Amino acid sequence: MGIKRFVKRHLKRMIKDFTLGFLYPRRYERYASAPTEPGLVVFFETKEREMPGSFDLLYERLSADPAKTVDYITLEQNHVSLIQYYRNGLNCLKRLAEAEVIFLDDACDLVSCLPLRKETKAVQLWHACGAFKKWGISTADLKFGGTLEETRRHPFYKNLSLVTISSPEVAWAYIEAMDLKGQEDIVQALGVSRTDIFFDPQFLSVARTRVDAAFPPAAGKKVLLYAPTFRGHVSEAEGPNELDIPALKEALGNEWVLLVKHHPFVKHPAPVPQGCEDFAYLVQGDIAIDDLLCTADACISDYSSIVFEYSLFGRPMIFFAYDLDDYDDWRGFYYSYDEFTPGPVLSTSEEVLDYLVHLDERFDPTVVAKFREKFMCSCDGHATGRIMKAVFGE
């Protein structure tokens, strides 16, 4: 490691130690000496500017309640300098200290470092369903994560009152990942709020309309969604580029269109190959992954948790896992990959194409149904109501 990199790394660590270990807790204590604001609910995002879909339904319902004051706060970690990120954290402490409820949907070392007052509930909605690839404490000492000491030095999942999950089956994985041994009772299979929209006929209809409007060639054709997860560390995330799109076009182009949606962490996805612009489309901007999941007639993924949401529709899934051994070594899984996946695990584009050509005779819907029952049984269109009752008694 070069001297400049060494100095920079240790300087960042010193700043983090100071802000999370001293500055934020002391400033919060000052604000927490005043009473909470009755009815104040804060939706707290760390990375993005826009409010994540995980918050939408709860935010909408609470905003309609005259007894509630609802705020959305974001630290914009992915969009500002490190210094501005810490300033944003400092600026949000007063509102967090005044809140009766704080909703989170991702890892949050800021809320975890605070001497959170007893009057405040911190609720972790999480942004994904099920339990697939490892995260949190589960990745300690793997290539993807830091050491166990580093991971626990400034934890991401302290001070939680409730963690909502998609099924009782995955509770053990959340307890492990969030280091909640001794607090197992706060992990509850109430369902995942954002999945309620998948049971709304109007939303399903409008989703297809939005996709057709954004990609006119999709109208009247089957939609094949390719939604892989990212590779590498979050700060340098890259999207895979191994799928043979020209071959798919040649075989499927008369009946299908291909929509490619990379993970939001991937800032520079590979463009659609030349000559395939009338078959394959890179989805960016206003079309949300929820719209694509509702619309897709089949989905190709790899290690992405969207397969849990997609299982709600009972449609075919293909797992294009050309780098399975490397990814398992890099990050690991909570379940044996080959036994877990509700569809064929394929390592070449030729295999993917062959399966799609013979989709009608090879797809077994009972496999997806069993997967859905095991991992998504609490996602039935009523999760938001159950969460509201658990948090507010309503």
Side-chain angles (χ1 to χ4, degrees):
M1 183 186 297
I3 186 66
K4 285 184 65 176
R5 187 178 175 187
F6 176 84
V7 171
K8 184 177 180 181
R9 177 178 175 180
H10 282 268
L11 181 59
K12 287 176 68 175
R13 179 168 179 167
M14 288 172 60
I15 294 172
K16 187 173 185 178
D17 286 346
F18 174 71
T19 53
L20 296 179
F22 177 77
L23 181 60
Y24 288 169
R26 299 293 81 77
R27 184 66 62 89
Y28 175 88
E29 283 183 327
R30 185 195 309 172
Y31 293 135
S33 62
T36 58
E37 180 179 324
L40 176 60
V41 180
V42 171
F43 288 81
F44 194 57
E45 163 67 7
T46 58
K47 295 181 175 65
E48 302 300 333
R49 285 177 174 156
E50 301 299 322
M51 187 165 68
S54 309
F55 290 159
D56 284 346
L57 295 178
L58 281 162
Y59 186 93
E60 179 182 343
R61 189 173 296 190
L62 289 167
S63 295
D65 184 346
K68 299 288 191 301
T69 300
V70 183
D71 277 359
Y72 172 64
I73 298 175
T74 173
L75 300 182
E76 301 186 71
Q77 182 178 8
N78 290 348
H79 303 278
V80 297
S81 68
L82 183 63
I83 295 301
Q84 185 58 51
Y85 167 69
Y86 284 123
R87 285 174 179 160
N88 290 346
L90 199 62
N91 292 337
C92 77
L93 294 176
K94 183 174 186 296
R95 211 58 178 146
L96 294 178
E98 294 170 337
E100 291 189 336
V101 177
I102 301 168
F103 282 112
L104 307 164
D105 88 322
D106 208 337
C108 186
D109 53 7
L110 188 152
V111 170
S112 296
C113 83
L114 302 177
L116 202 66
R117 61 197 306 165
K118 291 184 296 183
E119 303 95 321
T120 300
K121 294 180 181 179
V123 179
Q124 178 60 261
L125 301 172
W126 203 235
H127 57 274
C129 299
F132 198 170
K133 55 184 180 287
K134 292 184 176 182
W135 81 96
I137 287 290
S138 301
T139 64
D141 298 322
L142 295 176
K143 294 177 182 177
F144 178 79
T147 66
L148 185 60
E149 187 277 330
E150 289 172 336
T151 308
R152 284 181 167 154
R153 185 181 183 87
H154 297 296
F156 287 99
Y157 307 104
K158 282 187 65 178
N159 292 326
L160 298 176
S161 304
L162 174 66
V163 179
T164 64
I165 59 174
S166 62
S167 165
E169 164 65 29
V170 298
W172 70 272
Y174 283 74
I175 292 165
E176 176 187 304
M178 296 183 180
D179 209 14
L180 296 176
K181 188 176 181 180
Q183 299 177 268
E184 292 87 351
D185 60 319
I186 72 170
V187 181
Q188 298 182 22
L190 302 176
V192 177
S193 174
R194 60 180 292 269
T195 64
D196 285 357
I197 60 172
F198 297 136
F199 297 85
D200 181 347
Q202 182 178 2
F203 179 84
L204 300 182
S205 175
V206 172
R208 179 74 207 211
T209 301
R210 281 195 288 261
V211 171
D212 287 347
F215 310 102
K221 287 191 174 184
K222 296 177 183 177
V223 173
L224 177 60
L225 172 63
Y226 179 41
T229 194
F230 66 95
R231 292 344 187 241
H233 288 289
V234 170
S235 60
E236 301 172 342
E238 296 183 356
N241 189 31
E242 299 295 320
L243 189 65
D244 190 342
I245 294 178
L248 289 178
K249 177 189 174 182
E250 184 177 350
L252 306 173
N254 292 330
E255 296 182 28
W256 295 78
V257 294
L258 175 67
L259 301 183
V260 181
K261 178 67 171 178
H262 286 281
H263 192 282
F265 290 160
V266 177
K267 302 306 180 187
H268 304 289
V272 169
Q274 189 172 1
C276 296
E277 295 87 349
D278 58 345
F279 165 71
Y281 302 88
L282 191 61
V283 182
Q284 297 175 301
D286 294 336
I287 300 298
I289 187 63
D290 291 342
D291 292 328
L292 300 174
L293 292 174
C294 296
T295 302
D297 296 282
C299 177
I300 304 172
S301 192
D302 45 19
Y303 322 115
S304 171
S305 64
I306 67 154
V307 299
F308 293 104
E309 289 99 313
Y310 194 66
S311 73
L312 295 174
F313 301 101
R315 299 170 190 159
M317 284 181 265
I318 299 165
F319 293 82
F320 183 37
Y322 64 89
D323 57 350
L324 176 57
D325 290 341
D326 289 339
Y327 195 90
D328 195 6
D329 184 51
W330 168 259
R331 187 161 179 176
F333 303 100
Y334 288 109
Y335 295 85
S336 172
Y337 187 83
D338 289 323
E339 298 174 5
F340 162 86
T341 47
V345 177
L346 308 174
S347 58
T348 68
S349 288
E350 290 79 10
E351 292 174 313
V352 172
L353 179 54
D354 180 66
Y355 185 84
L356 286 167
V357 169
H358 300 93
L359 187 63
D360 289 341
E361 60 260 39
R362 294 186 184 176
F363 171 56
D364 182 358
T366 64
V367 175
V368 178
K370 290 177 182 177
F371 177 89
R372 171 180 173 171
E373 178 60 28
K374 183 174 183 177
F375 293 104
M376 295 292 288
C377 63
S378 298
C379 296
D380 56 2
H382 304 286
T384 302
R386 286 192 292 269
I387 295 168
M388 290 276 291
K389 185 174 183 179
V391 177
F392 301 102
E394 300 173 3

